[in-house]
Amino acid sequence: MLREDALRELAGETQAAVTSALLWTISKKTDSAVLVLDGEGTLLHCNESGRDMLDGGDLLSDGGGRLSCASPGETAGFYAAVAECARSRRGSARGPRELILFLEDRHSGMRLPVSLTRYRCAGAEMPLVVAILPRQPDRRRIEMLAQKMGLSPSEARVAALIQLGLTNREAAHIAGLKEQTFNTYAKRVLAKLQSAGRAEMAQRLTWQASLGRAS
């Protein structure tokens, strides 16, 4: 009996540690913005990526818990989607559990997906809505990751510009290099990263950047 109690206690401690690790990852490490809202769309909490996204204001901004879309015409639709996602009767599955909507990014002009998921906590009267917004890694993070993968700072800068999908001429102009010099750097980057071409290298850097926030 004592052994069984000890095993149960150990299992409980392990589960608590696992839960803590998951919460830490979502709160501190993931590069996706995670916002927790009530059924009326009021911001209750967010992770660090979410706070960075809101402070930037290119997609959503926070005015004391009241969120506004960067494109003013989208704010009413955002709140309507949150309310629709949260709407349900206790003990039933009425209403959508998840919605996807697209909001315009003020900086890039792209329409980016926002996932809204209803979450009902045991014992709570009203459900919460969790909004998840995948974020595109910025060039500085790409450069940092490229250096960790063995590139010099100059090579990492070139890799980051290639990852953006720019032509060599456009990227060379931004980097302040002659196009021939940029081409030499680009070939060196591909060789060091053992990539067959620009698309494979860009995909690898994008995948690495999506794994988490910079340490």
Side-chain angles (χ1 to χ4, degrees):
M1 185 178 294
L2 181 60
R3 178 177 178 276
E4 290 177 357
D5 288 344
L7 288 173
R8 278 195 295 269
E9 183 177 347
L10 180 61
E13 290 176 355
T14 300
Q15 185 57 50
V18 169
T19 301
S20 178
L22 289 171
L23 289 174
W24 175 83
T25 301
I26 294 168
S27 176
K28 304 290 184 182
K29 195 64 179 167
T30 182
D31 206 37
S32 293
V34 180
L35 315 178
V36 181
L37 316 170
D38 65 16
E40 296 180 350
T42 301
L43 177 66
L44 303 178
H45 195 61
C46 63
N47 65 350
E48 288 190 2
S49 291
R51 178 45 57 192
D52 289 345
M53 182 271 296
L54 292 171
D55 289 345
D58 288 331
L59 200 67
L60 286 166
S61 59
D62 174 24
R66 187 70 181 172
L67 300 180
S68 299
C69 296
S71 178
E74 294 180 337
T75 300
F78 173 78
Y79 278 100
V82 171
E84 183 180 359
C85 187
R87 194 180 302 122
S88 67
R89 292 181 178 176
R90 191 178 182 87
S92 77
R94 183 178 177 183
R97 298 183 65 86
E98 183 177 15
L99 286 173
I100 303 292
L101 70 153
F102 289 83
L103 300 179
E104 183 177 340
D105 182 271
R106 180 174 57 191
H107 179 70
S108 66
M110 296 175 61
R111 296 186 64 77
L112 302 178
V114 181
S115 167
L116 300 175
T117 305
R118 185 172 73 238
Y119 175 76
R120 184 178 291 282
C121 185
E125 183 65 27
M126 298 298 295
L128 301 175
V129 174
V130 178
I132 302 177
L133 302 85
R135 298 184 65 198
Q136 295 294 323
D138 62 23
R139 206 172 89 196
R140 287 173 298 176
R141 172 152 172 76
I142 292 291
E143 288 185 27
M144 181 203 72
L145 288 167
Q147 289 184 58
K148 287 186 176 182
M149 295 168 73
L151 302 185
S152 70
S154 296
E155 291 166 346
R157 192 172 305 116
V158 167
L161 290 169
I162 293 174
Q163 190 271 343
L164 291 176
L166 301 173
T167 66
N168 281 9
R169 177 173 295 181
E170 292 169 331
H173 177 73
I174 294 173
L177 299 171
K178 293 182 179 179
E179 187 175 351
Q180 185 176 357
T181 304
F182 187 91
N183 292 344
T184 300
Y185 270 116
K187 290 177 183 177
R188 194 182 305 167
V189 166
L190 294 176
K192 279 193 174 183
L193 296 182
Q194 298 180 342
S195 298
R198 293 164 59 106
E200 181 182 321
M201 187 217 67
Q203 184 180 39
R204 185 177 301 176
L205 285 172
T206 302
W207 178 78
Q208 288 286 342
S210 70
L211 293 180
R213 290 165 63 81
S215 299

